Short mmCIF file of all heavy atoms in Angstrom, two decimals:
data_model
loop_
_atom_site.label_atom_id
_atom_site.label_comp_id
_atom_site.label_asym_id
_atom_site.label_seq_id
_atom_site.Cartn_x
_atom_site.Cartn_y
_atom_site.Cartn_z
N ILE A 1 77.52 -59.55 -41.34
CA ILE A 1 78.48 -59.47 -40.24
C ILE A 1 78.20 -58.23 -39.39
O ILE A 1 78.25 -57.10 -39.89
CB ILE A 1 79.92 -59.44 -40.78
CG1 ILE A 1 80.16 -60.67 -41.67
CG2 ILE A 1 80.93 -59.38 -39.64
CD1 ILE A 1 81.43 -60.60 -42.49
N GLU A 2 77.87 -58.43 -38.13
CA GLU A 2 77.47 -57.33 -37.25
C GLU A 2 78.54 -56.24 -37.17
O GLU A 2 78.22 -55.04 -37.26
CB GLU A 2 77.16 -57.87 -35.85
CG GLU A 2 76.66 -56.81 -34.88
CD GLU A 2 76.22 -57.40 -33.55
OE1 GLU A 2 75.89 -58.60 -33.50
OE2 GLU A 2 76.21 -56.65 -32.56
N GLU A 3 79.79 -56.61 -36.98
CA GLU A 3 80.87 -55.63 -36.84
C GLU A 3 80.98 -54.76 -38.09
O GLU A 3 81.18 -53.54 -38.01
CB GLU A 3 82.19 -56.35 -36.59
CG GLU A 3 83.38 -55.41 -36.39
CD GLU A 3 84.68 -56.17 -36.16
OE1 GLU A 3 84.65 -57.40 -35.99
OE2 GLU A 3 85.73 -55.50 -36.17
N GLU A 4 80.83 -55.39 -39.27
CA GLU A 4 80.91 -54.63 -40.52
C GLU A 4 79.73 -53.67 -40.66
O GLU A 4 79.87 -52.56 -41.17
CB GLU A 4 80.96 -55.58 -41.72
CG GLU A 4 82.20 -56.45 -41.79
CD GLU A 4 83.46 -55.64 -42.09
OE1 GLU A 4 83.33 -54.50 -42.58
OE2 GLU A 4 84.56 -56.15 -41.84
N ALA A 5 78.56 -54.11 -40.21
CA ALA A 5 77.37 -53.24 -40.27
C ALA A 5 77.56 -52.01 -39.40
O ALA A 5 77.21 -50.89 -39.79
CB ALA A 5 76.14 -54.02 -39.83
N LYS A 6 78.13 -52.20 -38.23
CA LYS A 6 78.36 -51.07 -37.34
C LYS A 6 79.40 -50.11 -37.92
O LYS A 6 79.24 -48.89 -37.84
CB LYS A 6 78.79 -51.58 -35.96
CG LYS A 6 77.66 -52.25 -35.19
CD LYS A 6 78.12 -52.78 -33.84
CE LYS A 6 76.95 -53.39 -33.06
NZ LYS A 6 77.38 -53.98 -31.78
N LYS A 7 80.46 -50.66 -38.51
CA LYS A 7 81.50 -49.80 -39.10
C LYS A 7 80.94 -48.99 -40.25
O LYS A 7 81.36 -47.85 -40.48
CB LYS A 7 82.68 -50.66 -39.57
CG LYS A 7 83.55 -51.18 -38.45
CD LYS A 7 84.91 -51.67 -38.95
CE LYS A 7 84.78 -52.84 -39.89
NZ LYS A 7 86.11 -53.39 -40.26
N ALA A 8 79.99 -49.57 -40.99
CA ALA A 8 79.42 -48.89 -42.16
C ALA A 8 78.22 -48.02 -41.81
O ALA A 8 77.61 -47.41 -42.69
CB ALA A 8 79.03 -49.92 -43.21
N ASN A 9 77.85 -47.98 -40.51
CA ASN A 9 76.70 -47.21 -40.04
C ASN A 9 75.38 -47.66 -40.67
O ASN A 9 74.50 -46.85 -40.96
CB ASN A 9 76.91 -45.70 -40.30
CG ASN A 9 78.01 -45.13 -39.44
OD1 ASN A 9 78.13 -45.44 -38.26
ND2 ASN A 9 78.84 -44.28 -40.05
N ILE A 10 75.26 -48.97 -40.91
CA ILE A 10 74.00 -49.50 -41.42
C ILE A 10 73.42 -50.53 -40.45
O ILE A 10 72.48 -51.25 -40.79
CB ILE A 10 74.18 -50.13 -42.81
CG1 ILE A 10 75.18 -51.30 -42.76
CG2 ILE A 10 74.59 -49.10 -43.84
CD1 ILE A 10 75.21 -52.12 -44.04
N TYR A 11 73.96 -50.58 -39.24
CA TYR A 11 73.50 -51.57 -38.25
C TYR A 11 72.04 -51.31 -37.88
O TYR A 11 71.60 -50.17 -37.73
CB TYR A 11 74.37 -51.50 -37.00
CG TYR A 11 73.89 -52.41 -35.89
CD1 TYR A 11 74.20 -53.76 -35.90
CD2 TYR A 11 73.11 -51.92 -34.84
CE1 TYR A 11 73.75 -54.61 -34.89
CE2 TYR A 11 72.67 -52.75 -33.82
CZ TYR A 11 72.99 -54.09 -33.86
OH TYR A 11 72.54 -54.92 -32.86
N SER A 12 71.29 -52.40 -37.74
CA SER A 12 69.89 -52.31 -37.32
C SER A 12 69.61 -53.35 -36.24
O SER A 12 70.01 -54.51 -36.37
CB SER A 12 68.95 -52.55 -38.51
OG SER A 12 67.62 -52.68 -38.08
N ASN A 13 68.91 -52.93 -35.20
CA ASN A 13 68.53 -53.85 -34.13
C ASN A 13 67.54 -54.91 -34.62
O ASN A 13 67.35 -55.94 -33.97
CB ASN A 13 67.91 -53.08 -32.96
CG ASN A 13 68.94 -52.28 -32.18
OD1 ASN A 13 70.06 -52.73 -31.98
ND2 ASN A 13 68.55 -51.08 -31.76
N ASN A 14 66.89 -54.64 -35.73
CA ASN A 14 65.88 -55.56 -36.26
C ASN A 14 66.47 -56.66 -37.14
O ASN A 14 65.74 -57.54 -37.59
CB ASN A 14 64.84 -54.78 -37.07
CG ASN A 14 64.09 -53.78 -36.23
OD1 ASN A 14 63.78 -54.05 -35.07
ND2 ASN A 14 63.82 -52.61 -36.79
N VAL A 15 67.76 -56.58 -37.38
CA VAL A 15 68.43 -57.56 -38.26
C VAL A 15 69.23 -58.53 -37.41
O VAL A 15 69.93 -58.13 -36.47
CB VAL A 15 69.35 -56.86 -39.27
CG1 VAL A 15 70.15 -57.89 -40.08
CG2 VAL A 15 68.55 -55.95 -40.19
N LYS A 16 69.13 -59.82 -37.74
CA LYS A 16 69.94 -60.83 -37.07
C LYS A 16 71.16 -61.09 -37.94
O LYS A 16 71.04 -61.61 -39.05
CB LYS A 16 69.15 -62.12 -36.86
CG LYS A 16 69.84 -63.11 -35.94
CD LYS A 16 68.91 -64.22 -35.52
CE LYS A 16 69.59 -65.12 -34.49
NZ LYS A 16 68.68 -66.20 -34.02
N TYR A 17 72.33 -60.70 -37.44
CA TYR A 17 73.55 -60.84 -38.22
C TYR A 17 74.14 -62.23 -38.02
O TYR A 17 74.62 -62.57 -36.93
CB TYR A 17 74.55 -59.73 -37.84
CG TYR A 17 74.05 -58.37 -38.23
CD1 TYR A 17 73.32 -57.58 -37.33
CD2 TYR A 17 74.24 -57.88 -39.51
CE1 TYR A 17 72.83 -56.34 -37.70
CE2 TYR A 17 73.76 -56.64 -39.90
CZ TYR A 17 73.06 -55.88 -38.98
OH TYR A 17 72.57 -54.64 -39.36
N GLU A 18 74.09 -63.03 -39.06
CA GLU A 18 74.58 -64.39 -39.03
C GLU A 18 74.73 -64.88 -40.47
O GLU A 18 74.17 -64.26 -41.39
CB GLU A 18 73.60 -65.29 -38.27
CG GLU A 18 72.23 -65.35 -38.90
CD GLU A 18 71.24 -66.19 -38.09
OE1 GLU A 18 71.63 -66.64 -37.00
OE2 GLU A 18 70.10 -66.37 -38.55
N PRO A 19 75.47 -65.97 -40.70
CA PRO A 19 75.60 -66.48 -42.06
C PRO A 19 74.24 -66.75 -42.70
O PRO A 19 73.31 -67.22 -42.04
CB PRO A 19 76.41 -67.77 -41.87
CG PRO A 19 77.23 -67.50 -40.64
CD PRO A 19 76.32 -66.71 -39.74
N LYS A 20 74.15 -66.45 -43.97
CA LYS A 20 72.89 -66.58 -44.71
C LYS A 20 72.83 -67.93 -45.43
O LYS A 20 73.79 -68.33 -46.09
CB LYS A 20 72.76 -65.45 -45.74
CG LYS A 20 71.53 -65.52 -46.61
CD LYS A 20 71.52 -64.37 -47.61
CE LYS A 20 70.30 -64.45 -48.54
NZ LYS A 20 69.02 -64.30 -47.81
N LEU A 21 71.69 -68.59 -45.32
CA LEU A 21 71.49 -69.84 -46.04
C LEU A 21 71.17 -69.54 -47.50
O LEU A 21 70.28 -68.74 -47.81
CB LEU A 21 70.33 -70.63 -45.42
CG LEU A 21 69.85 -71.85 -46.23
CD1 LEU A 21 70.94 -72.91 -46.30
CD2 LEU A 21 68.57 -72.41 -45.64
N VAL A 22 71.89 -70.22 -48.38
CA VAL A 22 71.59 -70.17 -49.82
C VAL A 22 71.36 -71.61 -50.29
O VAL A 22 72.25 -72.45 -50.15
CB VAL A 22 72.73 -69.53 -50.62
CG1 VAL A 22 72.41 -69.57 -52.12
CG2 VAL A 22 72.98 -68.10 -50.17
N ILE A 23 70.17 -71.88 -50.82
CA ILE A 23 69.91 -73.16 -51.45
C ILE A 23 70.12 -72.94 -52.94
O ILE A 23 69.35 -72.24 -53.60
CB ILE A 23 68.48 -73.65 -51.17
CG1 ILE A 23 68.22 -73.72 -49.66
CG2 ILE A 23 68.25 -75.02 -51.81
CD1 ILE A 23 66.77 -74.07 -49.30
N LEU A 24 71.18 -73.51 -53.47
CA LEU A 24 71.54 -73.23 -54.86
C LEU A 24 70.47 -73.74 -55.82
O LEU A 24 69.98 -74.87 -55.69
CB LEU A 24 72.89 -73.85 -55.18
CG LEU A 24 74.07 -73.17 -54.47
CD1 LEU A 24 75.36 -73.93 -54.67
CD2 LEU A 24 74.23 -71.72 -54.93
N GLY A 25 70.10 -72.89 -56.74
CA GLY A 25 69.02 -73.20 -57.67
C GLY A 25 67.69 -72.63 -57.25
O GLY A 25 66.74 -72.61 -58.04
N GLU A 26 67.61 -72.14 -56.02
CA GLU A 26 66.36 -71.55 -55.53
C GLU A 26 66.20 -70.13 -56.04
O GLU A 26 65.10 -69.59 -56.08
CB GLU A 26 66.34 -71.57 -54.00
CG GLU A 26 65.02 -71.13 -53.39
CD GLU A 26 65.06 -71.07 -51.88
OE1 GLU A 26 66.14 -70.85 -51.30
OE2 GLU A 26 64.00 -71.24 -51.26
N HIS A 27 67.31 -69.50 -56.39
CA HIS A 27 67.33 -68.12 -56.91
C HIS A 27 66.79 -67.11 -55.91
O HIS A 27 66.04 -66.20 -56.25
CB HIS A 27 66.54 -68.03 -58.22
CG HIS A 27 66.91 -69.07 -59.24
ND1 HIS A 27 68.23 -69.29 -59.62
CD2 HIS A 27 66.17 -69.96 -59.94
CE1 HIS A 27 68.26 -70.26 -60.52
NE2 HIS A 27 67.03 -70.69 -60.71
N SER A 28 67.19 -67.28 -54.65
CA SER A 28 66.75 -66.37 -53.59
C SER A 28 67.69 -65.18 -53.43
O SER A 28 67.41 -64.27 -52.64
CB SER A 28 66.66 -67.13 -52.26
OG SER A 28 67.93 -67.64 -51.89
N ILE A 29 68.81 -65.19 -54.15
CA ILE A 29 69.75 -64.07 -54.13
C ILE A 29 69.99 -63.61 -55.56
O ILE A 29 69.55 -64.28 -56.51
CB ILE A 29 71.10 -64.48 -53.47
CG1 ILE A 29 71.69 -65.69 -54.19
CG2 ILE A 29 70.89 -64.77 -51.99
CD1 ILE A 29 73.06 -66.10 -53.68
N ILE A 30 70.67 -62.50 -55.73
CA ILE A 30 70.90 -61.99 -57.08
C ILE A 30 71.70 -63.01 -57.89
O ILE A 30 72.55 -63.74 -57.36
CB ILE A 30 71.60 -60.62 -57.06
CG1 ILE A 30 72.95 -60.70 -56.34
CG2 ILE A 30 70.71 -59.57 -56.42
CD1 ILE A 30 73.75 -59.40 -56.41
N SER A 31 71.43 -63.07 -59.19
CA SER A 31 71.97 -64.15 -60.02
C SER A 31 73.49 -64.14 -60.09
O SER A 31 74.12 -65.20 -60.11
CB SER A 31 71.37 -64.07 -61.42
OG SER A 31 71.75 -62.86 -62.08
N GLY A 32 74.11 -62.95 -60.12
CA GLY A 32 75.56 -62.88 -60.20
C GLY A 32 76.25 -63.47 -58.99
O GLY A 32 77.30 -64.12 -59.10
N LEU A 33 75.65 -63.27 -57.82
CA LEU A 33 76.22 -63.84 -56.59
C LEU A 33 76.02 -65.34 -56.57
O LEU A 33 76.92 -66.10 -56.21
CB LEU A 33 75.58 -63.19 -55.36
CG LEU A 33 76.07 -63.69 -54.01
CD1 LEU A 33 77.57 -63.50 -53.86
CD2 LEU A 33 75.34 -62.99 -52.88
N GLU A 34 74.83 -65.81 -56.95
CA GLU A 34 74.57 -67.25 -56.97
C GLU A 34 75.51 -67.96 -57.94
O GLU A 34 76.07 -69.02 -57.63
CB GLU A 34 73.12 -67.52 -57.33
CG GLU A 34 72.74 -68.99 -57.21
CD GLU A 34 71.25 -69.25 -57.37
OE1 GLU A 34 70.63 -68.57 -58.21
OE2 GLU A 34 70.72 -70.12 -56.67
N GLU A 35 75.72 -67.37 -59.11
CA GLU A 35 76.63 -67.97 -60.09
C GLU A 35 78.04 -68.09 -59.52
O GLU A 35 78.73 -69.09 -59.75
CB GLU A 35 76.65 -67.12 -61.36
CG GLU A 35 75.39 -67.22 -62.19
CD GLU A 35 75.38 -66.24 -63.36
OE1 GLU A 35 76.43 -65.61 -63.62
OE2 GLU A 35 74.32 -66.09 -64.01
N ALA A 36 78.48 -67.07 -58.78
CA ALA A 36 79.82 -67.10 -58.20
C ALA A 36 79.95 -68.21 -57.15
O ALA A 36 80.98 -68.88 -57.07
CB ALA A 36 80.15 -65.75 -57.58
#
């Protein structure tokens, strides 16, 4: 979320802030988040 990145001072012009695709079972994110 772009607004949250700016508030936290971690905003980067090189990042596209938008919802992230997760294909469940692909294990492209940390396991605890995927399990949730």
